[in-house]
Amino acid sequence: MSYKQKLTRKAAFGAGLFCLFLPAAALAGAYLLSAHGSGTIGVERAVMASAGYGRGNCGHCHEMHASLTGDEPAPAGGAASPYALFAGSLDPAVKPYLETSNFCFYCHNSTGSAQQVTNRDYSATFGGGGLATGPQSIIAAFNQASYHNLGDIKTFVNNSSAYLWFSDSSNPCDGCHNPHLAKRNWVSIPANSAISKPSSHFSLWGEASPQLMSSYSYEAPYLTWQSTYVSAYREPDGGSITDGSKTPDYVGFCTDCHSSTNTIWSTTLNRNLRVINWAVGGEKHGGLARDSNPANFREPYDTAASSKSNFVFSCLDCHEPHGSSNIMLLRRRVNGAELSGAISTVNALGPLCSRCHSGGMESIHHLVANAPYPNPVQCTSCHGGQPSSNPVPCGNCHFHGSNDSWLLTKGKTPTYRKTF
Ligand code: HEC
Ligand code: HEC
Ligand code: HEC
Ligand code: HEC
Ligand code: HEC
Ligand code: HEC
Ligand code: HEC
Ligand code: HEC
């Protein structure tokens, strides 16, 4: 669609005018395979069901006439909603999110008033945390310490010329999902995808090769912690696939927005985000090979390192897609076990790193062969006090794209090694 057509369409939707019946035929096949369109698990708004609408019917989300036997069916709002949906969205750029903040929360909410749907976070569903742990609905996932800001996502996607299908009235969740296609991803992995790349909104992402992590030099983390190397117990399903052929290509997915060039504003962080460069030569957890520093890895990486000279990680090995009890969407459970403590500042990332790196901080930074700071002097210039009780804040040197040039501000000579 041209940008001009997009503007025309925006104007039509802005007025709340919407004609549903034409594209229904085109949607039909894929829609019936989707979670929403399913006749057994699909959408079912009580008030519409009692009016005779079958499970999965479009009318559970769209209101063709905005009235049913004279009254507007619950939830009733004042004005007609964009796309003739039963409710509009506010998409604020700050939490807490309420049911009224986003159309999807009328159902994807532990107390959804239209239809209650239970969903867990990635750490529980694909990371081995118990199903009773963590948030139990999508709205609960967003209302945690960190979250993908719906207002910012809406602004970013709407203003980008790469996503012409997105209108002023579009739903920010649809930046990552297509409500007419999304499937229940946890019943058949990876064959059922819940996600669509924003640049390819009208198809699902990550159901088959090459849209899988097996396209990279990937090693699936443990779902259940094992202290020795075994092929089994791996994410995302506890099985024996180690090469990522059961995991959607989340690198390709996340970097659709978080590319090495896009400027993305974050209201939460009150700054533009750092760019992410997962390509060859970019970051250590991406396409840049590790250096000769003797790596102290935990399993399964320790053993796998003898056959893989450069591990490339999935973004969801460390991050949640919706929100987290830790800052920066960092998972509460990584590589088979819960983090040893919550992460509330980028200056104390140890509980995350130590799920995969072993050896201890002094060893890693001062003692191992090729350590960055062997034989240190003037301890306080880096540590700011007694080293044992004054760790050097990690956030100065370890973040996407970082090196240790921060040391210049301490009058020290950096190694300029890539540190993330
Ligand atoms: C789970 C709720 C839900 C169901 C069920 C649903 N839709 Fe939608 N539909 C939406 C949302 C949300 C949008 C807004 C898309 C956006 O954000 O741009 C939308 C948008 C549309 C559009 C605008 C073009 C597009 O694809 O974005 C058409 C046409 C449409 N729906 C038709 C249908 C038809 C026909 C059905 C049944 C076969 C259906 N919808 C079922 C939620 C739903
Ligand atoms: C930045 C991209 C992104 C945004 C924005 C986003 N999601 Fe997701 N969502 C994902 C990814 C990736 C997955 C697959 C991983 C998973 O299941 O945890 C997912 C999974 C899901 C699932 C299935 C969860 C499960 O495993 O049971 C639901 C339901 C869902 N999202 C709903 C929503 C709703 C509702 C919104 C808006 C309030 C939203 N998403 C916004 C990326 C996103
Ligand atoms: C009328 C209620 C309703 C609304 C509104 C709704 N959903 Fe759903 N959604 C469901 C139901 C029911 C399922 C299937 C639940 C299941 O798998 O148990 C589902 C499933 C999904 C799935 C597949 C993963 C899963 O849990 O099975 C995704 C992704 C999803 N919804 C995203 C969205 C997004 C994004 C929106 C808003 C644009 C939305 N939903 C709005 C009821 C709804
Ligand atoms: C549709 C575009 C889009 C996609 C796809 C996307 N993001 Fe984002 N992301 C954003 C925007 C916009 C922000 C800035 C708003 C904010 O900070 O929440 C952001 C912020 C973030 C942040 C900082 C959150 C914070 O603490 O404020 C992290 C971490 C992040 N994204 C990770 C991911 C991961 C991992 C994926 C893939 C599952 C992903 N993103 C996919 C748009 C996207
Ligand atoms: C999910 C496992 C995992 C987590 C979590 C993790 N790492 Fe790594 N890290 C690795 C692996 C494996 C490598 C080797 C990458 C390669 O082969 O290119 C690596 C490489 C590195 C390197 C480069 C080492 C070299 O020899 O070049 C640094 C520095 C690093 N990680 C720092 C961190 C920090 C800091 C954290 C916490 C904020 C962290 N990592 C979290 C697994 C992880
Ligand atoms: C060039 C900067 C630099 C200098 C100078 C330096 N350190 Fe460190 N040191 C680090 C970094 C970075 C770490 C890893 C982060 C942390 O745990 O503090 C570290 C870690 C440590 C740790 C582990 C602390 C912990 O939290 O487990 C000890 C002990 C330590 N250093 C002792 C010393 C001593 C003793 C000196 C002086 C002889 C010294 N360091 C000088 C950078 C430095
Ligand atoms: C002054 C900068 C600096 C600070 C501050 C710092 N580090 Fe490092 N760190 C480094 C450098 C340099 C390396 C070596 C990178 C390389 O050679 O690949 C490193 C390596 C690491 C590694 C990877 C070890 C491996 O396997 O090669 C981990 C994990 C790590 N640091 C964790 C931390 C944590 C946790 C903190 C905060 C408590 C921290 N660091 C603070 C500079 C720093
Ligand atoms: C080894 C763990 C790890 C992996 C893998 C990882 N991240 Fe991160 N990410 C972090 C940590 C730790 C932070 C907080 C430090 C920082 O801001 O860079 C972070 C922060 C972010 C931020 C916020 C950046 C900012 O401006 O502060 C974004 C966006 C992000 N990650 C996206 C991604 C994407 C996209 C991928 C996959 C291509 C990815 N991450 C893979 C650990 C990881």
Side-chain angles (χ1 to χ4, degrees), residues 13 16 45 61-63 72-92 98-107 113 150 154 168-173:
F13 288 142
R45 189 156 49 112
C61 285
H62 293 283
E63 283 171 353
E72 186 187 349
S81 300
Y83 296 102
L85 294 167
F86 67 70
S89 298
L90 300 169
D91 304 316
L98 310 172
E99 185 173 83
T100 47
S101 300
N102 184 284
F103 165 78
C104 313
F105 292 155
Y106 285 86
C107 299
S113 69
L150 295 174
K154 181 166 178 166
D168 291 341
S169 304
S170 283
N171 187 310
C173 308

Side-chain angles (χ1 to χ4, degrees), residues 284-285 288 290-291 297 310-311 313 353 356-357 398 419:
K284 290 280 177 73
H285 298 107
L288 178 63
R290 58 184 178 270
D291 63 23
F297 296 139
N310 173 29
F311 295 105
F313 286 82
C353 321
C356 304
H357 292 273
H398 294 293
T419 44

Side-chain angles (χ1 to χ4, degrees), residues 221 284-286 288-295 297 301 308-313 317-318 334-335 349 352-357 398 418-420:
K284 290 280 177 73
H285 298 107
L288 178 63
R290 58 184 178 270
D291 63 23
S292 57
N293 198 28
F297 296 139
Y301 307 105
K308 293 180 182 169
S309 58
N310 173 29
F311 295 105
V312 177
F313 286 82
D317 287 349
C318 293
V334 169
N335 194 24
L349 294 169
L352 173 70
C353 321
S354 62
R355 285 307 312 137
C356 304
H357 292 273
H398 294 293
K418 281 265 191 149
T419 44
F420 209 61

Side-chain angles (χ1 to χ4, degrees), residues 35-36 41-42 103-104 107-108 115 119 173-174 177 182-184:
H36 290 143
I41 60 157
F103 165 78
C104 313
C107 299
H108 289 280
Q115 178 183 7
N119 290 107
C173 308
D174 296 346
H177 297 284
K183 297 179 193 163
R184 228 186 201 185

Side-chain angles (χ1 to χ4, degrees), residues 293-296 358-377 383 387 417:
N293 198 28
N296 301 308
S358 60
M361 288 300 117
E362 185 176 18
S363 163
I364 286 173
H365 295 89
H366 294 311
L367 305 177
V368 291
N370 201 30
Y373 315 119
N375 315 313
V377 291
H383 285 276
R417 294 183 194 174

Side-chain angles (χ1 to χ4, degrees), residues 28-223:
Y31 177 72
L32 292 176
L33 295 173
S34 77
H36 290 143
S38 159
T40 47
I41 60 157
V43 280
E44 191 173 49
R45 189 156 49 112
V47 63
M48 301 307 286
S50 49
Y53 281 66
R55 192 157 199 169
N57 191 295
C58 323
H60 292 291
C61 285
H62 293 283
E63 283 171 353
M64 277 75 148
H65 310 292
S67 84
L68 194 69
T69 62
D71 296 317
E72 186 187 349
S81 300
Y83 296 102
L85 294 167
F86 67 70
S89 298
L90 300 169
D91 304 316
V94 278
K95 62 171 188 180
Y97 292 113
L98 310 172
E99 185 173 83
T100 47
S101 300
N102 184 284
F103 165 78
C104 313
F105 292 155
Y106 285 86
C107 299
H108 289 280
N109 186 331
S110 338
T111 57
S113 69
Q115 178 183 7
Q116 194 270 316
V117 185
T118 299
N119 290 107
R120 278 86 183 195
D121 64 2
Y122 196 90
S123 293
T125 309
F126 302 115
L131 287 187
T133 65
Q136 297 292 303
S137 69
I138 301 294
I139 193 174
F142 274 87
N143 277 332
Q144 298 184 91
S146 66
Y147 57 105
H148 250 134
N149 191 310
L150 295 174
D152 287 349
I153 289 192
K154 181 166 178 166
T155 304
F156 170 71
V157 180
N158 198 25
N159 289 348
S160 168
S161 58
Y163 314 125
L164 289 179
W165 61 272
F166 199 92
S167 84
D168 291 341
S169 304
S170 283
N171 187 310
C173 308
D174 296 346
C176 297
H177 297 284
N178 184 323
H180 307 124
L181 300 178
K183 297 179 193 163
R184 228 186 201 185
N185 55 351
W186 40 270
V187 291
S188 180
I189 307 167
N192 278 6
S193 169
I195 51 176
S196 298
K197 266 186 166 186
S199 64
S200 183
H201 178 66
F202 297 98
S203 54
L204 291 169
W205 177 256
E207 294 195 319
S209 176
Q211 294 171 10
L212 301 173
M213 283 310 299
S214 44
S215 295
Y216 306 82
S217 175
Y218 183 72
E219 180 75 17
Y222 282 128
L223 181 116

